[in-house]
Amino acid sequence: MSQTAQYVAILTLYFLAMIGIGVWFNRRSRSRSEYFLARGKLGPATIGISFSATQISGSSYMGAVGTERIFGYNFSPAGVSSAAAPWFSYILLGDRLRRIAGRLGSVTLADILQARFYSKAVGAVATAVMLVAFIPLIAAQFKAAANVFEVLLGMPYWIGLLGFGGAVILYTVLGGMMAVAWTDLIQGFIMMLGFAILAPVAVLSAGGFSEMHRQYGQLNPQAISLMGKMPALWVVSDFLVWGFFQIGGSPAAVTRFLIPEDERTLKGAMAYSVVFQSFIYVCATLIAIASGVLLPDLDQPDFTLPTLVAKLLPPVFGGIIIAAVLSAIMSTLSGILLVAGSLVVENVYVKLIGRTIDAPQGLRIARWVTFIIGALAMAVAFRPPAAIFWIVTMSFSFMASAFTFPFLLGLWWPRATREGGLAGMVGGAVACVVWYVLGWARYGSLENWLGGIWPALFGPMVSLVLMVVVSKLTVLPPEEVTKTFFAD
Amino acid sequence: MKPRLPVISILLMAIFVVGGSAALVVDWPPGPAHLDWGVWIVVYFGYVYVIAASVFYVLTGR
């Protein structure tokens, strides 16, 4: 059996196992709320790893190694900050969201924003911002997976897309949140296993920890320290944005805070998330520095991980690393797909259009909507238009700008008003897009910004100022809202 | 009753964000294993700090 045939056999079994989990949970949901959220039905490990696996996409898992190989320790603070993201998110949002979602019976984050800012317009804007960012993200994840099949396994793009996409859509549609969270847990362990195997092998092959750094410093002297290769503002922006601003930038992961019914589960989940993400990013750093020594002439950063695997590991372990990369893509994809489905059903169909549906009908609609979104995104991924890549590049900054402070002030500051919330959300999102456009007009690239200030920093700052000023100038929120949200 | 702010965790977050950003721009002296002290403190100690701070919150809720 050829190496490729072995990889395909391993991956086929893996996909069948994931679909099996979807089938297993197929009959466990009795309502669309159970299907989308599974409140109270998941433990700390499942919630914690699911949060992190959703947050770490394929491009973070594979791309972090490639980028860090070139930028070295200039890029590493972003990894530390990413590991801190669950620490910020769970403490500043987690417990407040959990309590309020339990009180209101909310299924989506847009439900909570709509209730907090007592306005359908806020709910509609939040839904629109998330869907505009999510749907191209889903298509981009499909495309990334199909590229893995094409580049690493030499298979036609469309076969990879149909096989991978079909498996993810099937288990997500069949099993809902229960299947998504449990598959995330398994995928998270595969991601850890992949790096746990590769990191020590790579470091030892590069001569051990100290010798590896000596050689890397000689080959890439500006990247062996925190500064040098990249401007100071770039390094500091990376450090600030990838931690704190994940609060608003990753609503698909933050939706996991609506699942636990008790504080203890949520705290346990936080511990799992932080340890998991710290492990992944420490290993990514070690693998990246080792690859800088072992593959000094490699041109394509994205090929760092597969090339290193081919160089250092036998096929069976190579299969695990490919499965790990696909796991990172799958977990992000299924999480976003399910949240997009919940937004369309709960916030568009039920709240905006005003349809009333009973439990069995709601469950059917939930499954169909999730399937249709997945199928549409897969169709787009066959030949993605250029505009999608613009949106994907901007999506994190866009959501961080729109949601970070409306969530934070909405949950902790009773004085925040409807007008303030709306101004913060719309103003932040618009400021972010304007900042990207100005950077593009000046430098001809979405990766260069005026003054080197990342739109994910600029947008939230505009949002914060608008939210505070407008809230101070408008009338206090109704007492029932203050009671619901702040009478703990 | 108003929601209780986890004051100590927020303080630890401020130290992480402000201290981490400040530490990035310092010119650090060489340290062990051919790395300067800045890499050891911000990167490797950074992970230990975040894990320890999370465990502190899990245990105390503060």
Side-chain angles (χ1 to χ4, degrees):
Chain A
M1 199 188 247
S2 72
Q3 183 176 317
T4 305
Q6 286 180 49
Y7 284 171
V8 172
I10 292 170
L11 292 176
T12 305
L13 285 175
Y14 177 41
F15 288 174
L16 287 174
M18 297 297 105
I19 294 169
I21 291 173
V23 172
W24 175 261
F25 287 113
N26 182 235
R27 295 198 177 277
R28 302 289 175 98
S29 305
R30 285 180 301 275
S31 67
R32 59 179 204 275
S33 155
E34 282 186 7
Y35 175 77
F36 284 130
L37 219 49
R39 180 173 288 129
K41 292 186 171 179
L42 296 167
T46 327
I47 295 172
I49 303 291
S50 179
F51 173 93
S52 294
T54 302
Q55 206 165 64
I56 300 175
S57 65
S59 58
S60 323
Y61 189 77
M62 197 158 66
V65 173
T67 310
E68 212 165 352
R69 181 176 72 87
I70 294 166
F71 296 125
Y73 283 105
N74 286 203
F75 187 71
S76 305
V80 181
S81 200
S82 298
W87 178 47
F88 287 110
S89 303
Y90 276 81
I91 294 177
L92 296 177
L93 295 189
D95 196 47
R96 304 282 305 127
L97 282 176
R98 179 191 68 75
R99 284 170 195 263
I100 291 158
R103 251 175 248 159
L104 298 171
S106 309
V107 177
T108 69
L109 293 173
D111 287 343
I112 291 179
L113 286 169
Q114 179 167 330
R116 171 60 184 88
F117 295 112
Y118 43 103
S119 157
K120 273 194 170 183
V122 170
V125 169
T127 304
V129 167
M130 285 186 214
L131 288 176
V132 164
F134 281 166
I135 292 176
L137 265 180
I138 297 170
Q141 295 293 318
F142 278 134
K143 184 180 180 305
N147 284 339
V148 169
F149 280 90
E150 195 178 25
V151 174
L152 298 185
L153 303 176
M155 290 169 72
Y157 178 86
W158 67 272
I159 291 185
L161 183 59
L162 284 179
F164 175 88
V168 178
I169 292 174
L170 200 57
Y171 79 68
T172 307
V173 167
L174 287 174
M177 180 57 86
M178 290 291 278
V180 167
W182 277 98
T183 51
D184 283 354
L185 180 69
I186 294 167
Q187 289 154 2
F189 279 119
I190 294 173
M191 288 160 70
M192 285 178 82
L193 180 66
F195 273 5
I197 292 168
L198 186 57
V201 173
V203 171
L204 288 174
S205 302
F209 188 79
S210 181
E211 175 60 16
M212 172 180 84
H213 284 106
R214 189 188 67 75
Q215 288 189 48
Y216 187 85
Q218 282 182 344
L219 290 164
N220 202 351
Q222 289 181 309
I224 194 68
S225 298
L226 298 170
M227 293 277 177
K229 187 124 182 160
M230 297 306 289
L233 204 56
W234 186 91
V235 179
V236 174
S237 288
D238 254 22
F239 178 70
L240 292 176
V241 167
W242 288 118
F244 178 77
F245 289 105
Q246 296 270 4
I247 284 178
S250 302
V254 166
T255 300
R256 301 296 184 279
F257 298 153
L258 312 188
I259 298 173
E261 281 181 334
D262 61 286
E263 193 181 351
R264 197 183 155 94
T265 304
L266 191 82
K267 283 180 172 174
M270 180 177 84
Y272 278 103
S273 288
V274 170
V275 170
F276 174 79
Q277 292 191 209
S278 297
F279 179 83
I280 293 289
Y281 287 110
V282 166
C283 288
T285 296
L286 294 173
I287 294 166
I289 301 295
S291 65
V293 174
L294 298 168
L295 308 168
D297 301 320
L298 188 72
D299 288 332
Q300 294 262 19
D302 283 349
F303 288 176
T304 303
L305 197 57
T307 311
L308 197 66
V309 167
K311 186 182 168 85
L312 298 179
L313 296 175
V316 64
F317 293 112
I320 292 174
I321 302 287
I322 294 175
V325 172
L326 290 173
S327 296
I329 300 173
M330 277 174 142
S331 52
T332 302
L333 180 51
S334 57
I336 298 175
L337 182 57
L338 194 68
V339 173
S342 68
L343 287 167
V344 172
V345 175
E346 300 297 329
N347 299 96
V348 178
Y349 191 74
V350 175
K351 289 210 166 73
L352 212 61
I353 301 177
R355 294 297 178 101
T356 311
I357 38 182
D358 61 23
Q361 195 187 8
L363 197 53
R364 259 199 319 277
I365 291 172
R367 289 202 166 107
W368 273 108
V369 166
T370 309
F371 173 76
I372 290 166
I373 292 172
L376 278 177
M378 205 157 83
V380 172
F382 266 104
R383 201 177 291 245
I388 275 198
F389 298 105
W390 278 58
I391 298 173
V392 169
T393 307
M394 292 194 289
S395 62
F396 170 79
S397 306
F398 186 57
M399 291 193 286
S401 302
F403 298 126
T404 301
F405 288 106
F407 275 141
L408 216 48
L409 298 188
L411 293 173
W412 289 102
W413 190 39
R415 184 68 181 80
T417 65
R418 172 180 57 200
E419 294 79 4
L422 200 56
M425 209 181 297
V426 175
V430 170
C432 167
V433 174
V434 167
W435 204 245
Y436 269 115
V437 171
L438 290 176
W440 184 79
R442 176 84 184 267
Y443 304 108
S445 154
L446 290 177
E447 315 267 315
N448 289 308
W449 315 298
L450 296 183
I453 299 168
W454 197 346
L457 275 180
F458 180 76
M461 288 307 127
V462 171
S463 168
L464 173 64
V465 171
L466 282 173
M467 217 179 144
V468 172
V469 171
V470 175
S471 291
K472 284 280 188 187
L473 293 175
T474 44
V475 289
L476 288 168
E479 205 182 321
E480 61 179 286
V481 171
T482 315
K483 260 189 191 160
T484 307
F485 277 80
F486 297 99
D488 280 11
Chain B
M1 193 178 115
K2 279 187 177 179
R4 196 165 53 93
L5 271 169
V7 178
I8 297 180
S9 284
I10 289 173
L11 200 65
L12 291 171
M13 287 173 188
I15 292 169
F16 178 82
V17 170
V18 178
S21 302
L24 289 174
V25 292
V26 172
D27 195 11
W28 292 93
H34 304 284
L35 290 172
D36 64 38
W37 278 109
V39 170
W40 280 107
I41 291 168
V42 175
V43 180
Y44 291 106
F45 177 71
Y47 288 109
V48 177
Y49 181 91
V50 170
I51 292 172
S54 306
V55 171
F56 173 80
Y57 178 76
V58 170
L59 295 177
T60 67
R62 295 160 69 195

